Amino acid sequence: LPMPWLDLPPWLELPPSCSALLYRLGSLRSSPKLLVGTCGLQLVALLWGLAQHLHRVECAIVVPNSGAVVLECETCHRTSATLRSVLLHLGGGCVIACGLVAVRWRDQRLLYVYGTAMLFFSLIIGLTALLTALETPVLEVAVSSISELEDDQCLRLAEEMLASARDHTSLASLSCVVDTAGAVLAIRSKELFSYEEIASQHAPETAAQRF
């Protein structure tokens, strides 16, 4: 059913080229398509996060009340993905699939479930990104305190741990932004489907009034 008022962009007057692009991205009709693209980005981030858990290095760090930060080389070891991390990523994949199914079936209830879950995930992942970012300077100081002449292997493991922490921070920040976008697009898609449902219910009455 034609509903041109859904396509009105909420932007101020801009140059024609920018207005045309923002018109297409900002209209309610484009929200489901953008949501599908966002779900694709979420799947990529999910697989990237799982890959990060496959080869990690963990070392104990001592932060004394006075003195330099010390990294205990004897505690460095490699870890892999645990059952808990696999289950968490599997649950995230199920939520993303819920969003895709909601768009395919135009199901407002599934969109509500997906949007609520994405808001929760964005909060948790955002806090994780913040904590990891605050931890990174401490790791940098600990790695810089290791002498290559004393223990070359420990230095390599410590640098891998530092690089992994930086990658985790970048991924968590990206995931927070993408999950927030998914929640917003789910709300807009639900609004669009609601409008279309109302319009379809009133279509027979409108047609009858014409005759």
Side-chain angles (χ1 to χ4, degrees), residues 19-209:
S19 298
L21 177 60
L22 295 179
Y23 181 90
R24 298 181 62 181
L25 295 179
S27 64
L28 280 178
R29 292 186 187 277
S30 64
S31 297
K33 295 180 180 180
L34 293 176
L35 181 56
V36 172
T38 302
C39 288
L41 291 178
Q42 289 174 337
L43 285 174
V44 172
L46 197 69
L47 294 175
W48 183 10
L50 184 59
Q52 286 184 347
H53 282 79
L54 295 178
H55 301 286
R56 291 184 303 162
V57 176
E58 294 182 353
C59 301
I61 296 177
V62 178
V63 184
N65 294 329
S66 60
V69 178
V70 179
L71 187 145
E72 298 180 346
C73 293
E74 62 275 8
T75 63
C76 292
H77 62 283
R78 296 185 182 276
T79 62
S80 185
T82 61
L83 179 61
R84 178 184 176 184
S85 63
V86 172
L87 291 178
L88 287 175
H89 283 79
L90 183 61
C94 292
V95 174
I96 296 173
C98 177
L100 293 173
V101 172
V103 174
R104 179 65 179 84
W105 291 351
R106 310 179 80 80
D107 192 311
Q108 298 182 41
R109 183 174 300 179
L110 289 179
L111 280 174
Y112 175 79
V113 172
Y114 169 83
T116 304
M118 286 301 108
L119 285 176
F120 175 75
F121 286 159
S122 64
L123 175 62
I124 299 301
I125 295 175
L127 291 175
T128 301
L130 177 61
L131 293 176
T132 308
L134 293 175
E135 183 186 25
T136 302
V138 179
L139 296 178
E140 292 176 348
V141 173
V143 173
S144 64
S145 65
I146 303 173
S147 174
E148 185 176 357
L149 298 177
E150 295 177 359
D151 197 334
D152 182 56
Q153 182 179 3
C154 177
L155 179 60
R156 288 200 305 269
L157 292 176
E159 289 177 345
E160 288 184 25
M161 181 182 66
L162 178 59
S164 177
R166 289 172 175 168
D167 292 342
H168 182 67
T169 302
S170 301
L171 177 61
S173 302
L174 175 63
S175 299
C176 180
V177 174
V178 174
D179 289 348
T180 302
V184 173
L185 291 173
I187 295 173
R188 290 175 60 82
S189 298
K190 185 176 181 296
E191 185 179 0
L192 170 65
F193 297 157
S194 177
Y195 287 150
E196 290 180 344
E197 183 179 352
I198 294 173
S200 63
Q201 291 175 354
H202 289 78
E205 299 179 3
T206 304
Q209 291 176 358

